[in-house]
Amino acid sequence: MIGILACAAALAAPVRLERAWPALRFDLPVALAFAPGDPTRAFGAEQGGRILEFQNRPDAKHASLFLDLSDRVLRDHRESGLLNFAFHPRFRENGLLYVWYTARGHRNRLSNFRGGDLSTERILLEALHHLCRQEPG
């Protein structure tokens, strides 16, 4: 019982949100990850198709383009576009990045890329995009 009360008290505590990187701006951010073995390199994905790289420091002032899929990504509603990405556990050695996105032609696609090079795309899985939206309520 004491544990439940302590948990309830913690939940009732006020929450304060802070911007982790106040100088950086992202357009519809959908994912954040850190390079395996190098927590100083942060990567943020935007739904429109860009993955940006920046220093994982509160005073970071600039994000550089790491991978740009904006010409391949379909954005027709909020459940499409670049949806997620993940690094291969041995990213330092092989440079592999996995990206889940909605491609033009209404296809969900899982691809990998070597580094930020678009020409290295290897499609691992592709399926028709489910066009129905999920509406809460």
Side-chain angles (χ1 to χ4, degrees):
M1 183 67 149
I2 293 174
I4 292 172
L5 293 175
C7 187
L11 290 174
V15 174
R16 193 181 78 168
L17 300 177
E18 283 183 31
R19 292 185 64 91
W21 304 280
L24 300 179
R25 298 289 179 261
F26 298 94
D27 183 31
L28 297 172
V30 293
L32 173 70
F34 302 91
D38 187 358
T40 66
R41 291 176 69 194
F43 295 80
E46 298 175 330
Q47 193 174 11
R50 299 186 323 155
I51 297 177
L52 303 167
E53 178 180 5
F54 54 97
Q55 289 296 307
N56 183 20
R57 298 186 342 219
D59 63 344
K61 304 236 183 299
H62 176 73
S64 57
L65 187 61
F66 182 74
L67 183 69
D68 189 357
L69 295 169
S70 54
D71 65 335
R72 300 180 189 193
V73 166
L74 173 69
R75 280 291 328 274
D76 62 349
H77 57 82
R78 62 180 180 245
E79 292 181 11
S80 64
L82 195 162
L83 301 171
N84 209 343
F85 73 100
F87 294 101
H88 188 283
R90 291 194 318 265
F91 176 74
R92 275 186 161 179
E93 293 88 39
N94 63 25
L96 287 177
L97 175 75
Y98 297 88
V99 181
W100 179 249
Y101 68 99
T102 309
R104 299 190 185 282
H106 295 278
R107 296 176 322 276
N108 282 340
R109 182 179 286 172
L110 175 64
S111 292
N112 70 16
F113 297 87
R114 194 162 301 280
D117 185 353
L118 281 175
S119 70
T120 65
E121 181 175 19
R122 186 172 71 141
I123 299 169
L124 305 172
L125 176 70
E126 191 170 72
L128 225 63
H129 179 64
H130 191 301
L131 298 176
C132 295
R133 294 186 194 178
Q134 297 175 7
E135 300 292 340

